[in-house]
Structures are given as C-alpha cells and as structure tokens.
C-alpha cells in the first residue's frame, strides 16, 4: 500500500496537467447568438435617444443593452466589468 | 505494481476534481483598470461623430474603443465576440 501511495503521489500532478491542458480556454460570450461566427452589433446613433446603456459582459437578457447582470458576474467571479453608458451631456 | 496502477486509476479523477474546484472562475476582463471595482464607461453622445466602434471583448489596447483584438481572442478560444458599432444612418 505504501508503494501504491507513492505511485499515486508521483503521478497525480501529471493527471491534473493532462486534464487541464485538454480543457478549452474560456469564452467571454457564453450565451448570445452562439450560432453566429461573430456577434458585432450595429446601432444607429439616431436611435440612442438621451441615454442608452450597452452590455459588455455578455450576460444580459436584454443584449445588446445592459440589464445589470454584470453585477452578478462580478460577484460570482471577482471580475470588474461594467457597461458602456452613452448619454447626452 | 498492478495494485498501484489500480489505486492510481481510482484516485486520479478525484485529484483532477480537486484541482479544478480550486481554480478561480474566469474573468472576462483580464487587463482594463483591474484596480477599479467596476469599469463602467461614460461616453457623451455628442462625441460620437459619424461612427465609433466600442470594444466588448476587453482585450483592446484602445479601450473603450475596439482595435480589432477581438479577432485574436476568437481565434485562440473559439469564442464569437465582436464590437458595438455606432453609426449615423
Ligand atoms: S448586463 Fe452586461 S454590462 Fe450590464
Ligand atoms: S477589440 Fe474588443 S471588441 Fe474589438
């Protein structure tokens, strides 16, 4: 059993490395139009009105607009993302 | 040695799980103003001119504007993010 434990300890970092390397690198966008090759959004300046808040966290249910979902993402992950706020001065 | 191998095979998924759980969840923003609690950007509608392209991938060296870095991110990770394009119609 001692040999077994030593064997295990020697190989476990390798296993971990193997599993990690195989993992795909994280996507920023996990939900919006994943069937599209690239999600670029055209928005006419004329439709902005006095103020529009645009999502940059890709979690909003009102995408391309921000619905506050960035706060939950920041809380869960320790990230610090926020929206783009376009306003008439 | 056979016992060792069996022992290893039984425990290696646990090891992997252990290492995975300990990993922090991915941040969307890995570089822009990481000292700030939240990166929200105010931009006056009057300064948009006829067209501005805003970054939503957080990789741009011209943040908050897009510099095309989303293409490299998409290529490297298989993601499909793109900018917000504000244009006069
Ligand atoms: S919901 Fe995405 S930035 Fe607010
Ligand atoms: S560089 Fe970030 S969206 Fe283009």
């Amino acid at each position: 059993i001692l040999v077994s434990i030593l064997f295990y300890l020697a190989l476990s970092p390798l296993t971990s490395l193997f599993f990690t390397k195989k993992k795909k690198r994280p996507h920023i966008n996990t939900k919006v139009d994943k069937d599209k090759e690239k999600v670029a959004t055209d928005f006419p300046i004329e439709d902005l009105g006095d103020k529009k808040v645009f999502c940059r966290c890709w979690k909003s249910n009102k995408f391309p607009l921000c619905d506050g979902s960035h706060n939950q993402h920041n809380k869960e992950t320790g990230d610090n993302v926020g929206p783009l706020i376009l306003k008439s001065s």
Side-chain angles (χ1 to χ4, degrees), chain A residues 19-50:
Chain A
F19 276 86
T20 308
K21 287 273 186 225
K22 266 182 55 175
K23 251 177 78 174
K24 270 196 259 167
R25 276 197 277 164
H27 287 199
I28 289 173
N29 174 24
T30 53
K31 60 185 262 190
V32 182
D33 294 340
K34 289 308 285 185
D35 52 312
K36 277 199 196 167
E37 200 193 323
K38 176 159 70 180
V39 186
T41 306
D42 284 300
F43 202 98
I45 291 175
E46 288 78 6
D47 296 353
L48 288 175
D50 277 344

Side-chain angles (χ1 to χ4, degrees), chain A residues 31-78:
Chain A
K31 60 185 262 190
V32 182
D33 294 340
K34 289 308 285 185
D35 52 312
K36 277 199 196 167
E37 200 193 323
K38 176 159 70 180
V39 186
T41 306
D42 284 300
F43 202 98
I45 291 175
E46 288 78 6
D47 296 353
L48 288 175
D50 277 344
K51 184 182 174 183
K52 282 278 177 305
V53 184
F54 287 95
C55 177
R56 298 189 293 192
C57 79
W58 299 87
K59 309 291 180 203
S60 175
N61 291 313
K62 285 166 42 184
F63 200 88
L65 298 177
C66 167
D67 72 351
S69 297
H70 57 269
N71 289 314
Q72 204 200 327
H73 163 79
N74 287 342
K75 213 168 152 185
E76 285 178 0
T77 64

Side-chain angles (χ1 to χ4, degrees), chain A residues 8-20:
Chain A
Y8 169 68
L9 287 177
L11 282 184
S12 58
L14 291 178
T15 316
S16 172
L17 204 67
F18 178 70
F19 276 86
T20 308

